[in-house]
Amino acid sequence: MTSTSAPSIEQYLGENVRLLPQTNQLRALHTVIRDREASREDFVSYSERIIRLLVEAALDLLPFEPHVVRTPVGADYQGLRFAPKLCGVPIVRAGESMEAGLRAVCPAIRIGKVLIQRDKTTKLPHLYYSALPEDIAQRHVLLLDPMLATGGTALVAVRLLLDRGVPEGNIVFVNLLTVAEGISAVCGAHPAVRIVTSSIEERLDENAYMIPGIGDFGDRYFGTDK
Ligand code: PRP
Ligand code: URA
């Protein structure tokens, strides 16, 4: 897989894919976590800062309804509040790195789990386990996975949610790093799913790792790298 064969994703940018503003601050956070010499402590804390930005951006895509409050000086503030019932669904393992950031903003949120792993050799995803709230079909779902590479894992997770009755348009995939192949796979198959990401990488290498990328996110975050 090289950049020459990368699919075009122009049509997905903006509506289907929300890329965080590429500010100097965000680039500085990325610089720390992409450094192969980064300590595990830095990798965890800087990636969690980016995750917090992603979660806030994802929540911004959900429906709000008018809500008026009285301020301490007796005036009305014509505000907004969240309308939907929510559920966070981390794709275990790496997606669990995003759970705390979501809970920090939405303390009462329901959390489902799906355990999907890429086969080390074939890179094909295998679904091992899932646990989702019974009423998930009535909820907006924040699907959490920091890595969207070939898109195989995300497609399995989205299919599971659809089979449980979640409307495609109620799924927001919250993601730290992606690449054209992953975007094309998910948006091509599920045009109503939205993706919030902080970076679109140049290409996939022959091992289906993103370049320049970050290496294996799960291994670096959980300290299981060599
Ligand atoms: C990684 C990552 C995604 C998946 C992305 O998980 O967290 O779930 O690969 O790759 P894809 O888009 O090509 O499917 P992995 O299976 O390595 O497990 P981990 O979460 O334990 O690191
Ligand atoms: N999973 C990762 O952790 N990193 C990649 O680049 C691709 C999949």
Side-chain angles (χ1 to χ4, degrees):
M1 293 170 205
T2 68
S3 54
T4 51
S5 61
S8 166
I9 53 165
E10 283 302 309
Q11 69 270 34
Y12 301 127
L13 301 180
E15 194 50 43
N16 310 65
V17 179
R18 307 292 174 97
L19 179 63
L20 290 188
Q22 300 294 292
T23 61
N24 287 343
Q25 148 105 328
L26 181 61
R27 276 186 76 86
L29 298 175
H30 266 272
T31 305
V32 174
I33 61 173
R34 285 156 182 278
D35 185 346
R36 63 191 297 166
E37 305 296 340
S39 66
R40 174 149 174 258
E41 195 180 9
D42 277 350
F43 185 82
V44 168
S45 91
Y46 282 77
S47 54
E48 285 179 352
R49 283 179 63 186
I50 300 173
I51 287 163
R52 188 66 178 259
L53 298 174
L54 290 164
V55 166
E56 297 284 3
L59 293 175
D60 197 36
L61 297 180
L62 302 178
F64 289 81
E65 62 190 11
H67 182 60
V68 181
V69 291
R70 181 73 39 93
T71 73
V73 291
D76 281 349
Y77 177 75
Q78 307 291 330
L80 294 173
R81 70 179 169 196
F82 267 129
K85 294 204 289 183
L86 282 182
C87 181
V89 179
I91 300 178
V92 181
R93 166 186 67 158
E96 289 188 302
S97 65
M98 307 176 88
E99 192 178 319
L102 178 58
R103 282 185 192 275
V105 183
C106 307
I109 192 169
R110 298 291 176 92
I111 300 286
K113 299 269 176 181
V114 292
L115 170 54
I116 302 171
Q117 292 280 292
R118 287 203 317 185
D119 181 276
K120 295 276 180 227
T121 311
T122 65
K123 306 300 174 194
L124 293 174
H126 294 281
L127 171 62
Y128 291 102
Y129 168 83
S130 69
L132 301 169
E134 213 163 308
D135 65 348
I136 190 139
Q138 279 80 54
R139 293 178 180 272
H140 283 250
V141 175
L142 298 181
L143 187 57
L144 311 175
D145 193 329
M147 300 288 112
L148 172 58
T150 65
T153 302
L155 287 176
V156 171
V158 170
R159 171 47 50 204
L160 179 73
L161 295 173
L162 297 178
D163 288 348
R164 289 290 302 267
V166 180
E168 205 173 274
N170 282 9
I171 302 172
V172 178
F173 189 84
V174 190
N175 164 259
L176 198 138
L177 229 62
T178 188
V179 70
E181 284 81 350
I183 290 173
S184 175
V186 173
C187 298
H190 304 294
V193 170
R194 278 145 327 148
I195 299 172
V196 177
T197 189
S198 69
S199 181
I200 300 173
E201 300 299 284
E202 289 168 14
R203 63 185 177 86
L204 284 176
D205 73 6
E206 58 285 3
N207 295 312
Y209 276 89
M210 290 178 273
I211 302 294
I214 206 168
D216 190 304
F217 187 97
D219 279 346
R220 295 185 72 195
Y221 187 91
F222 292 106
T224 52
D225 46 347
K226 298 195 180 71

